[in-house]
Amino acid sequence: MTTCGMDTADFRRRGKEMVDYIADYLENIEQRDVYPDVQPGYLRSLIPNKAPEEPDAYEDVIRDIERVIMPGVTHWHSPYFYAYFPTASSYPSMLADMLCTGIGCIGFSWAASPACTELETVMLDWLGKMLHLPDDFLAEATGQGGGVIQSTASEATLVALLAARSRIVRKIQEDDPDRQELDIISRLVAYSSDQAHSSVERAGLIAGVRMKKVPADKTFAVRGETFSAMLKEDKEAGLIPFYFCATLGTTPSCAFDCITELGPICNAENIWMHIDAAYAGSAFICPEFRPLLNGVEFADSFNFNPHKWLLVNFDCSAMWVKKRADIIGAFKMDPLYLKHDHQESGLVTDYRHWQIPLGRRFRSLKMWFVFRLYGLKGLQAYIRKHVGLAKEFERRVREDQRFEISADVVLGLVCFRLKGSDETNKTLLKRINEARKIHLVPCQLAGSFVLRFAICARTTESRHIQEAWSHISEIASKVLQDLPN
Ligand code: PLP
């Protein structure tokens, strides 16, 4: 007869075994195909169609990890994974996450777990200082700004948009109290680059506001002049511009909107500027990449994902605002059961007012462990190593006359293609991914089908880049041979 659940003695034993399993998995990950060879629905036939009446044995559950789960896993932490952007993974972060789960608190208010709130506020200040954010964004500086951990960049974009919507409606109604909210909202217009992540357009859909895409220039960056012309036209048409989401490090090509031009325009026009630096933001801890963030002083809010490139496992999306009152003003709800003695003291932060859900995990533990165990120098070295590997791959591509580079390589992403048709490049990508040795995804740049090669795994080394390039080059030769003359 199997015992129900697990007692403490078993937990100690099984926990240690699980750490060993994870360490073995990561240590030997290269031996697995990076991309799974399964068809949709593969899993249902491998497990019963309902939960067991009687408890299963732990050994059986563990056995099923290799039988049921691993065949359908895309191994994001394999050094042969070059798709999307990275998702972070480090041992300190995993251990902190275990502790977070063990404590298991829900830190929606200061009183709901003071350490959860206070460590988060301090960690966002630490990280803000690593990036040299202007003091306005730090909680310790004026007490007006500060940082919060959101789950994802998509949420940060939406939260900023909703706060901006609420701020503009309040402002217009202050000047004209008879103006109806619905009438104002129907005239609002938000903007982003045509290279922005789809989550920005989605935020517009969710918030029920018109969203326009500003065309990027040849380098895939939005320039001030283009934005100004659009604003002029829209204002003449009776619309109310209120929000601009700038991207630093676009998803297709890692391009950087020109925020030193866009910021002053936004400030002059009372437009909320949010900066989405989901991937690239981590690089700004290195002095040589910090100039890419120049212009942040004009922003109302700034966000990037330590869970992408700063060794803090998902989820951990860092967001800062200059005026916390703007966010709290948009989201504050205070039912009696969530009130506490200190909330009116002005001394505490209740993060439930800064986000969409109520519940929140103790995610700042992961930041604390990672920042302390790597140190700023260790984190900078990690970023530099990835950028160096991307440059190495870029060199290989440039040395091969059959290929071309499709966008400037600034950080850890290389966009490249075979000179020739989209069809040829689609065939190349299909064959690469079907071989399952490495994994890439494409993008569209200036109307062309392009392959993206993003340095992702913590353990990627130069030898993996060399192997990946030889593999791509061999497949390219076959694709070119197979072309009709
Ligand atoms: N913004 C940019 C520029 C991105 O590249 C991505 C994802 O790659 C996102 C937003 C979405 O990130 P998240 O999954 O944290 O919402």
Side-chain angles (χ1 to χ4, degrees), residues 84-86 150-157 195-200 202 245-252 255 276-280 303-305 307-308 314-317 452:
Y84 314 105
F85 274 138
Q150 305 284 0
S151 292
T152 61
S154 312
E155 263 177 69
T157 301
Q195 300 293 304
H197 192 263
S198 57
S199 54
V200 183
R202 201 147 171 256
C245 177
T247 310
L248 295 182
T250 58
T251 318
D276 170 9
Y279 162 69
N303 164 248
F304 84 98
N305 288 348
H307 71 228
K308 275 190 161 53
F314 191 86
D315 57 336
C316 181
S317 186
R452 288 170 81 267

